[in-house]
Amino acid sequence: MMRAIRLHQVGGPEVLRMEHVAVPKPSVGQLLVRNTVIGVNYIDTYHRTGAYPMPLPATIGRDGAGIVEEVGMGETFGFKKGDRVAYCSTPSGSYAELSTVNAAQTVLVPPHLDDEHACAAMIQGLTAHAFVKGAYHVKEGSKVLVHAAAGGLGRLLVQCSKKLGAYVIGTTSTEEKKEIALAAGCDEVILYSEKNFVEETKRITMGRGVDVVYDSVGKDTLLGSLDCLTRRGCLVACGNASGKPAPLELGLLSAKGSLSVTRPTLNDFIVTRPEFEERVNEVFRWIQEDKMKLKVMQPIFKLEDAQEAHRFIEARKSVGKVLMRLE
Ligand code: NDP
């Protein structure tokens, strides 16, 4: 048996319950990993609230790092017992002492990275990479707007866009976070809690608008984000931190200048082993070259404090990667 955080019904953080459950068995193409750290991602809150429905009961959680305990049958890409790995695809869920993980989306942690930063490189690092070099191709001179630019994903989208030569505008809610977004590389930061971000974006771009908006805020910003785009610009709608946006009327896209909208999810950008390896190797290289600066949030929570970890992220307190550590 092992300890796991289980979800039997959707609701507030209080529905996350510690239980003792059977250790899962790795099936074909899977590994069993003893977690040292577990990522707490915004998507976990969507699963908990039912915004993204999942069959219940379930163990939630998408990424983590730890030690391979057992190797399943089939293609497991040479992983062996005792390997130190990080992963971002787990059929059994990561909020547990042990998790089954898909070997195809698992990587050996290089010596220069600790488990905490390796885990931070998984969903947040890989998503930032996939969204600037996949969902949309940011290029030298691209004008980019990143919402929640001081947040975990936001900071990395800013860094990656800058690395590719873009001019980056960020939005955030407080003066303190504005400094963090500027330190991440934003050329301009708009306090969308105080100013109309559409007008500000137009002002900063001298009426032109931006080529791409990364909108992970959703309900509160989505329509405004369309108005920030230049003709034939692209909205990358990638999250719902403020709630699910209203359905989008397609006619709006032609009316506002032949815009395009994409709603990407990381899983579709790491489908095959070569695709995953290419992205993760580049992310690790960017980290080593100090071009992607991951931030691990303190405190690191214990597994039994999963409720607190969810309250922390939902209270907009994170400017990096929220983690739980197994003692
Ligand atoms: P963040 O650290 O960015 O936290 C979310 C941020 O959203 C907050 O800090 C806050 O920043 C902003 N926000 C705006 N309105 C609200 C609100 N009403 N309630 C709470 N927060 C609000 O989290 P993550 O980096 O983990 O994730 C960021 C987003 O990216 C999430 O929406 C997540 O779902 C999405 N994502 C999508 C992926 C995909 O594959 N599509 C993969 C990974 C993440 P501020 O105070 O500056 O406004």
Side-chain angles (χ1 to χ4, degrees):
M1 300 293 278
M2 65 168 190
R3 294 178 304 144
I5 298 292
R6 301 279 288 167
L7 192 64
H8 288 263
Q9 64 190 86
V10 298
E14 68 284 354
V15 299
L16 298 172
R17 293 212 313 247
M18 172 73 84
E19 289 178 5
H20 286 86
V21 297
V23 172
K25 283 294 290 176
S27 92
V28 176
Q30 296 177 3
L31 314 168
L32 180 68
V33 172
R34 181 169 291 278
N35 293 308
T36 51
V37 293
I38 297 162
V40 179
N41 292 287
Y42 224 93
I43 192 172
D44 306 338
T45 71
Y46 305 149
H47 287 138
R48 194 204 72 225
T49 59
Y52 291 0
M54 68 193 299
L56 300 180
T59 301
I60 60 171
R62 302 286 293 272
D63 60 2
I67 303 293
V68 174
E69 184 116 336
E70 197 181 327
V71 178
M73 306 286 284
E75 176 59 277
T76 49
F77 307 102
F79 287 108
K80 57 186 189 313
K81 189 172 169 17
D83 282 346
R84 191 166 72 96
V85 295
Y87 64 85
C88 59
S89 176
T90 159
S92 70
S94 64
Y95 284 24
E97 288 178 292
L98 294 119
S99 304
T100 53
V101 307
N102 290 318
Q105 287 86 24
T106 298
V107 63
L108 274 179
V109 178
H112 63 86
L113 272 188
D114 59 22
D115 292 2
E116 288 79 2
H117 288 81
C119 182
M122 291 294 101
I123 290 194
Q124 283 185 357
L126 286 165
T127 299
H129 187 278
F131 289 3
V132 300
K133 290 187 86 173
Y136 182 87
H137 289 269
V138 173
K139 300 185 289 290
E140 184 78 36
S142 297
K143 288 195 165 45
V144 176
L145 174 65
V146 178
H147 284 307
L153 177 64
R155 282 177 60 256
L156 302 186
L157 285 170
V158 172
Q159 292 172 18
C160 294
S161 298
K162 287 305 296 179
K163 192 201 144 15
L164 296 170
Y167 178 88
V168 182
I169 305 168
T171 64
T172 189
S173 63
T174 67
E175 284 289 349
E176 197 186 349
K177 285 187 174 182
K178 180 176 176 175
E179 294 308 314
I180 291 165
L182 285 169
C186 282
D187 295 283
E188 292 275 354
V189 177
I190 302 166
L191 279 187
Y192 57 5
S193 48
E194 291 176 10
K195 291 198 169 155
N196 179 314
F197 72 83
V198 179
E199 288 170 9
E200 285 298 294
T201 302
K202 287 283 166 67
R203 181 186 64 75
I204 293 164
T205 58
M206 292 183 289
R208 175 189 182 271
V210 293
D211 299 293
V212 58
V213 180
Y214 290 101
D215 189 335
S216 63
V217 172
K219 188 167 158 236
D220 291 351
T221 49
L222 201 86
L223 282 181
S225 293
L226 291 178
D227 290 325
C228 294
L229 289 167
T230 190
R231 182 170 284 133
R232 299 202 304 261
C234 177
L235 170 62
V236 181
C238 53
N240 301 326
S242 67
K244 203 171 161 187
L248 198 59
E249 165 58 47
L250 277 183
L252 268 181
L253 304 182
S254 58
K256 290 182 187 290
S258 302
L259 306 179
S260 59
V261 176
T262 179
R263 179 57 178 96
T265 179
L266 171 63
N267 290 344
D268 290 320
F269 294 83
I270 50 170
V271 180
T272 62
R273 182 69 186 167
E275 195 176 19
F276 173 78
E277 276 185 342
E278 199 184 319
R279 286 198 197 284
V280 82
N281 289 339
E282 189 157 31
V283 165
F284 282 171
R285 196 166 61 247
W286 286 358
I287 294 167
Q288 194 165 21
E289 291 168 356
D290 218 20
K291 288 174 184 145
M292 182 184 270
K293 297 185 180 81
L294 302 168
K295 181 171 175 57
V296 171
M297 294 308 299
Q298 299 296 332
I300 297 182
F301 295 90
K302 294 180 185 164
L303 182 62
E304 50 268 43
D305 295 331
Q307 294 184 1
E308 280 312 304
H310 275 222
R311 289 191 185 100
F312 182 86
I313 200 167
E314 287 178 306
R316 300 162 90 139
K317 288 184 182 165
S318 176
V319 292
K321 181 75 176 180
V322 181
L323 294 173
M324 297 187 287
R325 181 182 281 128
L326 271 300
E327 299 290 303

